[in-house]
Amino acid sequence: MSNIIDIVGLVFIGIGLAFDFFGCLGLVRLPDVYNRLQAATKSVTLGTCSILFGTFLIVGFTAAGFKCLLCMMFLLLTAPVAAHAVARGAHRAGVKLWDKSVIDKYAEDKEGEI
Amino acid sequence: MESNGVKRKIVLFILGFIVWCLLVWVPDWQHLVVGVFVAGMIALLVGDLFIKKPGKLKHPHRYRYFIFQYVPTFLWECIKANIDVAYRVVHPNLPINPGIVKVKTTLTSDTALTFLANSITLTPGTMSVDIDKDKGVLYIHWINVKDKDVKGATKDIVEKFEHILAKVFE
């Protein structure tokens, strides 16, 4: 029985590693700050949570297991806030969107306010 | 007003104490004593920032909606988001069509808006850039803009979470 749980945990860790890899690939390939943040927050959040959850399944309800669960919770709560802060700061500091971006409602609304 | 403030601090104290117990698992009495002091300090210092209306914590149906509606919806959207972003990143032509759109929301409480913005950031191709609480407007960076119009974007991005969050937090 514990063998099966170990295997499921390893599968979760594998999925997490794959998503983390895609996140990093996105960080390199995508064109501007905002798109890169998208890749960084989404993929890396789910990827890291998946790794932590896999670890939790393997170690069970021990000291390390509870810390894994807490880390997942804090990561889910704080990663989007950090991305939001970076994006807002970048926009306010005048970082332009990618040339082929379709629309920028934020700049239209904020014009003349800063 | 005064009892409200005390209640807020007590709620935060209990939460902090539970988190502390999980962090120092397995708890023995030394850890618990330190935990009481730490949780008490935190409750005294930042108790005012945390929850505005502690009375809302008493309603069991809020927890039910949170666990059985919000969490599954959120997890499902989150997994979809990741597969979507992974596909765009791996595709040789980078099929992205980015832009910042404006959406409207009817939520007003701080916690609900925070959860809405966080959910949006973690779901398909959208990331909240700024929020205007007075006008009820969020500015969303969308990796693949399908609808430039305020109404259309609101329908696509906000609505799937909004009605659930309204039941949980408002």
Side-chain angles (χ1 to χ4, degrees):
Chain A
M1 190 61 209
S2 75
N3 242 339
I4 297 170
I5 295 178
D6 277 5
I7 291 168
V8 175
L10 284 175
V11 168
F12 266 104
I13 294 179
I15 294 171
L17 283 172
F19 275 126
D20 270 6
F21 171 72
F22 288 134
C24 296
L25 200 66
L27 208 57
V28 179
R29 284 200 70 198
L30 291 170
D32 70 356
V33 179
Y34 310 98
N35 288 313
R36 285 178 176 174
L37 269 176
Q38 295 244 15
T41 46
K42 274 190 251 302
S43 302
V44 174
T45 307
L46 191 76
T48 313
C49 280
S50 181
I51 292 174
L52 286 169
F53 188 67
T55 317
F56 165 72
L57 284 182
I58 291 173
V59 299
F61 287 97
T62 57
F66 279 118
K67 286 187 185 76
C68 286
L69 287 182
L70 280 179
C71 285
M72 274 171 74
M73 213 170 69
F74 288 137
L75 202 65
L76 277 176
L77 287 176
T78 52
V81 178
H84 166 75
V86 174
R88 185 169 183 273
H91 205 287
R92 294 232 151 189
V95 178
K96 292 269 176 296
L97 268 73
W98 187 39
D99 301 338
K100 289 180 194 155
S101 298
V102 218
I103 188 172
D104 189 351
K105 279 264 165 74
Y106 191 45
E108 285 167 27
D109 282 10
K110 289 286 168 216
E111 211 170 314
E113 209 180 275
I114 302 164
Chain B
M1 194 62 219
E2 188 50 47
S3 73
N4 204 7
V6 174
K7 261 190 216 161
R8 282 198 293 218
K9 289 194 170 73
I10 290 171
V11 169
L12 187 59
F13 175 80
I14 293 168
L15 258 178
F17 193 65
I18 291 172
V19 170
W20 174 269
C21 287
L22 291 178
L23 267 180
V24 298
W25 197 266
V26 181
D28 60 25
W29 67 270
Q30 286 182 342
H31 291 148
L32 293 183
V33 171
V34 178
V36 169
F37 281 110
V38 172
M41 279 278 275
I42 291 170
L44 280 180
L45 287 174
V46 297
D48 302 332
L49 304 174
F50 186 50
I51 298 168
K52 292 276 153 62
K53 295 193 185 97
K56 281 184 185 174
L57 284 168
K58 277 185 234 156
H59 306 151
H61 66 270
R62 293 180 193 275
Y63 297 98
R64 209 168 59 227
Y65 276 118
F66 185 77
I67 292 169
F68 293 110
Q69 290 215 344
Y70 175 74
V71 173
T73 318
F74 173 73
L75 278 181
W76 174 238
E77 293 292 335
C78 192
I79 291 165
K80 263 195 343 203
N82 279 277
I83 292 168
D84 182 66
V85 169
Y87 163 75
R88 284 178 204 287
V89 166
V90 175
H91 198 284
N93 299 333
L94 275 182
I96 58 172
N97 186 23
I100 294 180
V101 294
K102 191 162 115 175
V103 297
K104 279 198 185 314
T105 172
T106 51
L107 301 175
T108 48
S109 83
D110 281 346
T111 325
L113 283 170
T114 312
F115 264 88
L116 182 68
N118 278 6
S119 311
I120 285 170
T121 300
L122 288 172
T123 52
T126 50
M127 178 178 73
S128 38
V129 175
D130 201 357
I131 188 166
D132 194 329
K133 205 182 150 196
D134 302 329
K135 291 178 199 152
V137 165
L138 284 113
Y139 296 93
I140 310 281
H141 182 267
W142 205 352
I143 206 166
N144 181 25
V145 176
K146 290 179 205 142
D147 205 330
K148 294 179 191 175
D149 183 47
V150 175
K151 255 188 203 155
T154 307
K155 196 161 172 282
D156 274 5
I157 300 173
V158 177
E159 275 179 5
K160 56 190 172 219
F161 289 117
E162 199 173 43
H163 64 278
I164 300 175
L165 287 172
K167 279 180 197 153
V168 179
F169 292 109
E170 292 288 334

